[in-house]
Structures are given as structure tokens and as C-alpha cells.
Amino acid sequence: MKEGNSKKVLLIIPSRIMVRGIEGVFNDLGEFRVEGILSDISRTSETRLKNMDADIIIIDPIVFDYATRPVGRSVIAEYSDAAVVALQTAVMEDDLWKQYDEVINVYDSPATIIKKMRSALTSRLDVPKSDSHELSTREKEILICVAKGMLNKEIADLYNISIYTVITHRKNITRKTGIKTVAGLTVYALLNNLIDSSAVE
Amino acid sequence: MKEGNSKKVLLIIPSRIMVRGIEGVFNDLGEFRVEGILSDISRTSETRLKNMDADIIIIDPIVFDYATRPVGRSVIAEYSDAAVVALQTAVMEDDLWKQYDEVINVYDSPATIIKKMRSALTSRLDVPKSDSHELSTREKEILICVAKGMLNKEIADLYNISIYTVITHRKNITRKTGIKTVAGLTVYALLNNLIDSSAVE
DNA sequence: TGGATTTTCCCTATTTTTGGGGATTGCCGC
DNA sequence: GCGGCAATCCCCAAAAATAGGGAAAATCCA
């Protein structure tokens, strides 16, 4: 397989292990070549994203990170036309995977990985739109606390706000998500990578 | 760093990406050298485990079919004296990590990985013991309901028992597990495969 | 058989959450 | 400037959970 023919890949993956692993798998097989590596999607990264003319981007959705940012592929789409493949390492809500052209699981065999890479290049999604009824920053913070099992009083103390405010936020959270129980909200937080299971109990 | 000096490492990891990644990281740094790779812990693997005189084993606990029970390290201990390091890729109950000499996270930096590898070699655990206080059948049933977000009243009606009984069971569950909050119990139930995340919200 | 465990039930009191109202401030976009 | 939204605060009443206590059957196992 000729070097010149291979597709340019950009990795946006904070795990050195996984970066080296994917490089290794691609080196074994040719066809794809890692041309750039980013470990986050910070401001400085965005210019590299724009300048580097990658054919395909493999991203670990964890970079869209807990609570702070509006999740998703759409962020990438602003800076690059490359196909975007998610690297699946953790549990995440089904809907969130659908925005990517393909999803590679860390346990996939090299053959499967290559197949999915090809698939990502041919069958491209065109309109990745972000969902509407997002939780506000504060609401996410409160939700995280709730999912951790904190009391309203504890949350109020943590953020130096009134317990009434906490309760109001919780009302809005249940209204926006449609989830009425703590158990449900905990699962919601887990599936949306707002918390890690180790953060609870 | 001399080749002859490097420690022998056995990987028991089903993910090709992660195997190649760890090989890459170790190649970059010397000191450790991957001598063998297994992708499961089947019967045939056991002889290789015994014969290969590894200094340290890195294992992805997913090969133990996870969460189900506190197996794990003890299985390895039957066939090898090597230090055992877990590769942390997914959420798992806190206690289950404690049986390993070290836990490397996929997002750890190479420096951290090496540090943990050294630590695993020096500070070795000696008695990997399993925990005792299991939940009774009824308690598991109640726990499942709690994790689903059901009210005590609803649980009582479901099993045709008094709400007092439900409360008593919940007291015993919190006492046995040491988990006081619904959020924590939900995670516990998820991690122990008592419920599926789809069963909640 | 006898002890341990499980399962069941009950009470009181307190704490916490939920659900229904409201209200003010400030910021952003049209 | 006006509407919408985010974030803050407040009250009240009802529902639910928590934390003590105790106790009696049923079941299991050694």
C-alpha cells in the first residue's frame, strides 16, 4: 500500500494508550495514516483543526467533557469538513452516538475498524444538529450533585445559594428532562457522562 | 535502557487498540517489555499464564465478564506470582479495583503509567479476599425497585407486603452495602447487573 | 433440634423532598 | 425596548423517606 494513497487521520484523544494503539493498528495495515494528534478541543486546537486538512477525524467524546460544554459533533463541523468517527470507550446515551459518521469501539478488531473507517468516508451524515432543551450550566451542576446523592442543603452550602434556589433548579431539571426520580436522574447523569459511577456512593 | 534489564509484561486485554497502545508506550520508554498477549482467560490461556514467567500482568477486568462478582485477581493468582495491574476502561464498583496491585487508567500519562507499574512491583498485595455481607433475595428485589425509582408504597403494593417491611428491608440494604442514598444504590444496582439502565427513567 | 437468618410487621419523631404558588434581577437577541 | 431565559429568593402544605426503637413468625442449615 502506497504512503501517498493513505488517508489522513486526525486523532482527538486524550489517552496516550489509545493514540499509540490506533497508530499501531493503522501502521500494521496501511490505508490510513495518523497525521495529527490533539488531546482536547481547546481554543488553540481549533486553528490546527482548521488548518490540517484531515480526511477523517477520530474523536473520544470524553473531550466534550463533563457538564461544561454543549456536547457534540457540531463543534467539529464548524472547523472541519472531515468525516468524524467516535471512539467508544464509555457508556453514553444512544442518541449521542448517532451524530457521528461511525462509532469505533475499543474492542473492535482491526478488520472491523478499517471497515468502519471506510464506511465513515463514504456514507457521511450531512446535518448534525444539536438538541434543544439543554440544561443550563447551573442546572447541570445541580444535577451532578443530585446524582451524587447530595442533599439539597449540602448543594445549597456548596454553591452558597439558598435551598429554595436549589429546589427551583431541581424543579426545572425535572421539567426539562421529564425525569422525576433521583434514580432516573442518576442514570441520566451517568449516560451523559456528567458523572462517573465512582463519584457516587 | 538495556533490553535484558526490562521487566516482562503479560497483557490480558481483548482490545487490539489498547494492546498496541501499551506496547507503543512501553517501547517509547523502555523499562518494561510486552512478552505475551492474551485476549481472554480461557482454559488454554491458563497454561501460558503458568509457563510464561511474567513479572507483571496487565489485565482488562472485562475478561472477567465484569460487575457480576468479585472474581478477578484471585483467578490469576492461582496460575502466576506476577504483580497484577488492572487496566481501567469502564466504570466498575470501587471495591473491585482494590484487589489489584495497581490500576492504570487509559487516560493516564506515560509517566503515570510507569510510576504505577513500578509501584505494582514493589508494593504487592498478599491476600485478595472477597467480601461477605451479600444481600438476601428479597433485599435484591427491593433494591431493584428502589433503583427503578419506585416509591416505598408502590414496592409494598407490588409484593403485597406492608410499607413498614419495605422500609425495614431498605434499612438492611443500606446497612449491608454502606450506601445511604438512592443515587448510590442505583449505581450499585447498575454495576451489579441487577437492573439495566433502560429500566430506570 | 436449635441457632442463625430472613421476612414480616409496628410505632414515634424528625428530616427531606415534592408540588403549588409567586417574585426580582440581569443578560441576550430581535 | 420588549420578550425570553437564567439565576436567585421566598412561602406553604403535603408526601415521602430516614432513624431510632422493638417483635414475631418462617426458613435454613448444621
Side-chain angles (χ1 to χ4, degrees):
Chain A
M1 184 111 0
K2 287 189 187 69
E3 285 277 326
N5 256 351
S6 56
K7 297 288 184 183
K8 284 187 281 186
V9 179
L10 171 64
L11 306 182
I12 309 180
I13 299 172
S15 162
R16 181 72 166 272
I17 287 179
M18 289 195 280
V19 165
R20 292 296 263 113
I22 290 171
E23 284 182 323
V25 169
F26 286 166
N27 278 344
D28 293 344
L29 298 164
E31 186 163 348
F32 295 97
R33 195 177 68 256
V34 176
E35 286 271 297
I37 301 164
L38 298 175
S39 59
D40 57 59
I41 47 163
S42 65
R43 181 125 302 217
T44 52
S45 307
E46 290 169 357
T47 43
R48 285 202 59 192
L49 235 175
K50 216 181 300 188
N51 294 340
M52 209 205 107
D53 178 30
D55 297 302
I56 193 162
I57 293 172
I58 302 180
I59 189 164
D60 182 349
I62 204 173
V63 298
F64 294 122
D65 142 288
Y66 314 75
T68 50
R69 298 202 185 192
V71 184
R73 208 227 122 116
S74 49
V75 177
I76 303 295
E78 290 178 40
Y79 302 101
S80 172
D81 291 327
V84 180
V85 175
L87 183 63
Q88 186 176 43
T89 60
V91 287
M92 202 165 84
E93 203 176 5
D94 284 349
D95 286 343
L96 295 180
W97 297 114
K98 290 187 185 142
Q99 59 191 318
Y100 297 97
D101 299 309
E102 265 294 350
V103 178
I104 289 175
N105 188 286
V106 273
Y107 295 104
D108 283 342
S109 68
T112 306
I113 293 170
I114 295 300
K115 201 161 60 184
K116 286 183 176 176
M117 291 290 284
R118 288 182 192 143
S119 153
L121 285 172
T122 53
S123 62
R124 200 81 77 73
L125 299 175
D126 43 15
V127 187
K129 53 183 185 293
S130 61
D131 28 358
S132 52
H133 50 348
E134 281 279 326
L135 296 181
S136 73
T137 309
R138 196 51 137 189
E139 285 162 354
K140 280 182 195 159
E141 289 170 342
I142 304 290
L143 170 57
I144 289 166
C145 293
V146 172
K148 281 181 180 169
M150 292 173 70
L151 299 178
N152 290 336
K153 179 69 171 56
E154 292 174 327
I155 301 171
D157 288 345
L158 176 63
Y159 293 112
N160 286 314
I161 56 178
S162 160
I163 193 171
Y164 296 112
T165 309
V166 176
I167 291 171
T168 302
H169 284 307
R170 291 189 63 166
K171 283 179 200 169
N172 291 329
I173 291 168
T174 52
R175 182 178 47 77
K176 285 186 180 178
T177 63
I179 301 170
K180 289 178 185 296
T181 67
V182 175
L185 291 172
T186 304
V187 174
Y188 180 90
L190 281 170
L191 292 175
N192 288 279
N193 282 332
L194 293 177
I195 57 164
D196 186 82
S197 64
S198 61
V200 191
E201 34 208 314
Chain B
M1 181 119 350
K2 289 190 186 68
E3 285 276 327
N5 256 352
S6 54
K7 297 288 184 183
K8 284 187 280 184
V9 179
L10 170 65
L11 306 182
I12 310 180
I13 299 172
S15 162
R16 180 73 164 272
I17 287 178
M18 290 194 280
V19 166
R20 292 294 264 118
I22 290 171
E23 284 182 321
V25 169
F26 286 165
N27 278 344
D28 292 345
L29 297 163
E31 187 164 346
F32 295 97
R33 194 178 69 255
V34 176
E35 285 273 296
I37 301 162
L38 299 176
S39 58
D40 56 58
I41 47 161
S42 64
R43 182 126 300 219
T44 53
S45 308
E46 291 169 357
T47 43
R48 285 201 59 190
L49 234 174
K50 215 180 300 188
N51 295 340
M52 210 205 105
D53 178 30
D55 297 302
I56 194 162
I57 294 172
I58 303 179
I59 190 163
D60 181 349
I62 201 174
V63 299
F64 294 122
D65 182 28
Y66 20 156
T68 48
R69 57 188 71 253
V71 280
R73 212 236 121 104
S74 50
V75 176
I76 303 296
E78 290 178 40
Y79 301 101
S80 172
D81 290 328
V84 180
V85 175
L87 183 63
Q88 187 175 42
T89 59
V91 288
M92 202 165 86
E93 200 180 4
D94 282 349
D95 286 343
L96 296 182
W97 297 114
K98 291 188 184 139
Q99 58 191 318
Y100 297 96
D101 299 308
E102 265 293 349
V103 178
I104 290 175
N105 189 285
V106 273
Y107 296 103
D108 283 342
S109 69
T112 305
I113 293 170
I114 296 299
K115 203 163 58 185
K116 286 184 176 176
M117 291 288 286
R118 286 182 192 141
S119 152
L121 283 172
T122 53
S123 62
R124 200 81 77 74
L125 299 174
D126 43 14
V127 186
K129 54 183 184 291
S130 61
D131 30 358
S132 50
H133 45 11
E134 282 279 325
L135 296 182
S136 71
T137 310
R138 196 53 137 188
E139 284 161 355
K140 278 182 198 158
E141 289 171 340
I142 304 291
L143 170 58
I144 288 167
C145 293
V146 172
K148 282 180 180 170
M150 292 174 69
L151 301 178
N152 289 336
K153 179 67 172 58
E154 292 174 327
I155 301 171
D157 289 344
L158 177 62
Y159 293 112
N160 287 313
I161 56 178
S162 159
I163 193 172
Y164 295 113
T165 309
V166 176
I167 291 172
T168 302
H169 284 307
R170 291 189 64 164
K171 283 180 201 166
N172 290 329
I173 291 167
T174 53
R175 182 178 46 77
K176 286 186 180 178
T177 63
I179 302 169
K180 288 178 185 298
T181 66
V182 176
L185 290 172
T186 304
V187 174
Y188 180 91
L190 282 171
L191 292 175
N192 288 276
N193 283 335
L194 293 177
I195 58 165
D196 186 82
S197 61
S198 62
V200 191
E201 34 206 317

